[in-house]
Amino acid sequence: MEWADALAASLTGPQVVNDSKTPSGTVHVGSLRGPVILDVITRALRAHDLETTLLYGVDDMDPMDAQALLTPDAVESQMGRPLAHVPDQVGDGHASYARHHAQTFIDTFAGLGIHPDRYYWMSDIYASGAVDPYIRTALDRADRVREIYRRVANVQHPSDWHPVQVVCESCGKVGTTIVTEWDGERVRYACRADLVTWASGCGHEGWVSPFGGRAKLPWNLEWAAQWGLFGVTIEPSGKDLSTAGGSRDRSDAIAREVFDREPPLNVPYEFLNIGGRKMSTSKGRGAAAHEIVEVVPPEQLRLLFLRPRPNQAIEFDPAGTDAIPRLFDEFDRLAAATAGRPVKGELPGGFEAVFRYALLSAEADVAAEAAAFRPAFNHLALLVQIPSVDLTVAAAAEKGAPLDVREVGILSERAAAARAWLATYAPDSAIVRVRDELPAEVAELGEDQRLVLGAIALAAEAGGPASGDDWQQVIYDAAKAAALPSGRVFAAIYVALLGRPNGPRAGWLLASLEPDRVVARLRAAAGWSTGGAA
Ligand SMILES: [Zn+2]
Ligand SMILES: [Zn+2]
């Protein structure tokens, strides 16, 4: 995290941090990396007493170019129209396709502790006339714009190409129009059937004023216009935009040479990759940002994006893996290290800052947060599956003292996350399922283990243990009497019930089941009974 603090230390004067996004469809969790980086920069600047404004924009005048996201009957009419003018395909009350997808994404920000001072929608900004001076300058300097495309990006536009896209007065498409003349007040444009492969224009031609929302700037110019319009001083951008000759280079040159303004500082950042697996968004196991935030609590999700430096790619594959439990473990390790407790493994440079920036609130009491008791996620994910367990009692027992108010809050957040994880991304091995029949894996048990299972069955019949603690005592006593390591006894119990050698605290597991059923199963596993429903 030194990078954010170093950045802040190198700057003076008021700062405007900006990012914007084209709402072209469901937003993938990786798209949260930008907003989290933006938030960290903003927090670092403010911590250095720099007056800072955080802006987040929606580029909703961009043309609809993703056919797969439209209903079949909408493809012909909607492809190429501004996203702000395409109807909401979901039909849940948003004003447009753009509003639906952008709002669904933006709604995750507050929960992640990201609070832009202002959101802006480019459809509103164009309609307000605020972009008009930039449109006029771009048209007046069209030759310079063409020269920049040629020099920076090796893109050769025709000599009559002008850097503005009119919203066709006839068909409403913006992706299909080309402007070929500018008389100082109006532009001559044509809506062409074959200008782009993904949308078909209507053939309309005419002269129109490009102002007041009737036209938009091509993306590279629009980006540079945003910087001028909002006084942007810092704008991180993804590596896809930051390549040589790429979008950022073009917009930087346009800012300098067309709009006479230094571009903002770039903080290029790498992608988040979701494993090799293709993740479906339809089965409740998706990788959409708004789905991940329903499973991973904000501080762990912030950590996912914060721990690597911006220039490092992030590999994240939550489906059927322990990626989410590992996020919790890493969070807990950083908390422990920040609190001065010994931890295993190497710590990232500036780990205290990583922990601090991962916290939901910029005003959090870092020392208190670091010291708070947090139950291990994996353990909790097992406990929530056993009906008889009182989580607060179990956590207090683990802590060795009653939980305070904050710790009760953490416990309940984690328990909810564990349940959500089990219902969505968790691998089958994390699911505790007491088998209906004696598991075949029992054949792998040693004779010593069979005998001790039989002894536990006898003790249970004699003593009738009721609580998890009672059962736990019966198991320990039996292990001691048999002179076996308790781990070997617990493994035998798990195999007999779950068909695998590990599981939640055995006493709680046994106490959650019918006593007769437990005894019958242990006897069967010991090889003492034949037939019957074990
Ligand atoms: Zn909607
Ligand atoms: Zn048209």
Side-chain angles (χ1 to χ4, degrees):
M1 289 325 295
E2 314 89 293
W3 66 266
D5 291 316
L7 173 69
S10 72
L11 299 169
T12 54
Q15 303 293 323
V16 177
V17 185
N18 179 61
D19 192 9
S20 66
K21 174 137 195 69
T22 303
S24 48
T26 300
V27 185
H28 180 275
V29 63
S31 295
L32 283 170
R33 190 170 196 180
V36 170
I37 286 176
L38 239 50
D39 175 66
V40 168
I41 290 172
T42 301
R43 290 189 189 191
L45 296 176
R46 288 177 179 158
H48 282 75
D49 290 325
L50 295 168
E51 187 190 327
T52 302
T53 307
L54 176 57
L55 299 178
Y56 196 85
V58 182
D59 302 321
D60 60 347
M61 282 301 282
D62 289 0
M64 177 74 202
D65 65 357
Q67 182 172 327
L69 298 162
L70 288 169
T71 56
D73 59 312
V75 170
E76 175 59 32
S77 62
Q78 302 302 326
M79 287 295 286
R81 283 166 63 88
L83 292 161
H85 300 173
V86 175
D88 186 354
Q89 300 291 291
V90 179
D92 56 355
H94 295 98
S96 69
Y97 181 92
R99 291 272 164 176
H100 177 90
H101 291 294
Q103 200 63 53
T104 303
F105 183 53
I106 283 171
D107 282 348
T108 66
F109 288 10
L112 286 169
I114 303 165
H115 303 285
D117 297 289
R118 189 155 74 84
Y119 290 99
Y120 60 89
W121 301 73
M122 284 312 291
S123 56
D124 293 343
I125 302 288
Y126 276 106
S128 76
V131 192
D132 292 352
Y134 292 88
I135 293 175
R136 179 176 291 283
T137 301
L139 288 168
D140 286 345
R141 299 180 171 179
D143 57 340
R144 202 175 297 183
V145 174
R146 290 191 292 264
E147 192 275 322
I148 289 170
Y149 272 99
R150 201 157 49 233
R151 169 166 45 88
V152 178
N154 201 24
V155 171
Q156 182 80 46
H157 284 297
S159 59
D160 61 353
W161 178 88
H162 284 67
V164 69
Q165 291 172 284
V166 170
V167 180
C168 176
E169 297 157 283
S170 174
C171 71
K173 295 183 181 180
V174 71
T176 53
T177 64
I178 184 163
V179 165
T180 50
E181 281 181 75
W182 158 240
D183 71 3
E185 286 306 322
R186 297 176 311 155
V187 291
R188 178 175 176 76
Y189 76 102
C191 182
R192 294 196 182 155
D194 57 355
L195 185 71
V196 293
T197 53
W198 39 270
S200 181
C202 68
H204 182 82
E205 290 187 33
W207 285 89
V208 70
S209 161
F211 301 126
R214 283 183 287 270
K216 81 181 286 292
L217 292 166
W219 166 239
N220 296 127
L221 288 101
E222 183 173 299
W223 202 3
Q226 287 174 356
W227 296 337
L229 208 47
F230 305 125
V232 179
T233 59
I234 302 174
E235 178 148 350
S237 53
K239 77 157 190 186
D240 53 329
L241 302 175
S242 302
T243 52
S247 229
R248 183 66 186 235
D249 274 0
R250 301 177 202 187
S251 294
D252 281 1
I254 287 162
R256 287 194 186 100
E257 302 174 40
V258 180
F259 299 141
D260 301 323
R261 183 187 189 281
E262 262 309 291
L265 199 66
N266 189 6
V267 180
Y269 57 87
E270 265 279 357
F271 292 136
L272 173 145
N273 304 313
I274 300 269
R277 212 179 324 235
K278 191 171 177 220
M279 297 182 63
S280 160
T281 48
S282 61
K283 292 180 190 162
R285 280 180 165 245
H290 68 276
E291 292 173 321
I292 299 273
V293 300
E294 283 168 11
V295 178
V296 183
E299 298 186 332
Q300 284 71 42
L301 197 54
R302 289 177 64 93
L303 179 67
L304 169 69
F305 294 110
L306 290 182
R307 194 183 184 284
R309 297 180 62 91
N311 62 4
Q312 291 175 316
I314 299 172
E315 301 296 332
F316 183 61
D317 187 5
T321 71
D322 65 349
I324 288 174
R326 276 193 283 118
L327 259 182
F328 282 89
D329 291 349
E330 180 62 359
F331 187 91
D332 296 354
R333 210 171 67 93
L334 295 179
T338 302
R341 297 196 297 274
V343 298
K344 286 183 192 159
E346 268 185 56
L347 288 164
F351 65 86
E352 287 175 303
V354 174
F355 178 72
R356 173 160 44 86
Y357 283 119
L359 295 175
L360 185 57
S361 166
E363 278 83 44
D365 178 341
V366 178
E369 287 296 318
F373 171 78
R374 290 180 171 80
F377 183 83
N378 273 319
H379 188 204
L380 201 53
L382 292 170
L383 292 186
V384 298
Q385 298 178 73
I386 305 172
S388 65
V389 170
D390 180 324
L391 293 179
T392 313
V393 171
E398 200 184 320
K399 180 191 174 190
L403 304 189
D404 64 28
V405 173
R406 170 67 182 135
E407 290 167 338
V408 169
I410 291 171
L411 173 65
S412 101
E413 178 184 76
R414 284 198 171 197
R419 291 192 181 97
W421 178 68
L422 290 163
T424 52
Y425 303 108
D428 289 343
S429 61
I431 313 267
V432 174
R433 202 176 292 118
V434 176
R435 302 273 190 90
D436 294 333
E437 307 284 340
L438 185 68
E441 290 83 352
V442 163
E444 316 280 318
L445 293 178
E447 194 51 37
D448 55 339
Q449 288 174 302
R450 285 176 210 284
L451 282 170
V452 81
L453 289 180
I456 293 168
L458 288 179
E461 284 171 318
S467 70
D469 285 340
D470 291 349
W471 272 110
Q472 206 73 3
Q473 195 58 49
V474 166
I475 297 165
Y476 278 116
D477 288 349
K480 199 172 167 195
L484 280 179
S486 54
R488 200 163 159 74
V489 180
F490 284 116
I493 291 170
Y494 296 132
V495 168
L497 291 165
L498 311 175
R500 59 186 234 222
N502 51 51
R505 197 166 176 223
W508 289 325
L509 179 60
L510 295 177
S512 72
L513 303 168
E514 285 287 311
D516 291 350
R517 188 177 168 208
V518 173
V519 168
R521 176 62 60 87
L522 294 177
R523 282 177 157 274
W528 286 4
S529 69
T530 52

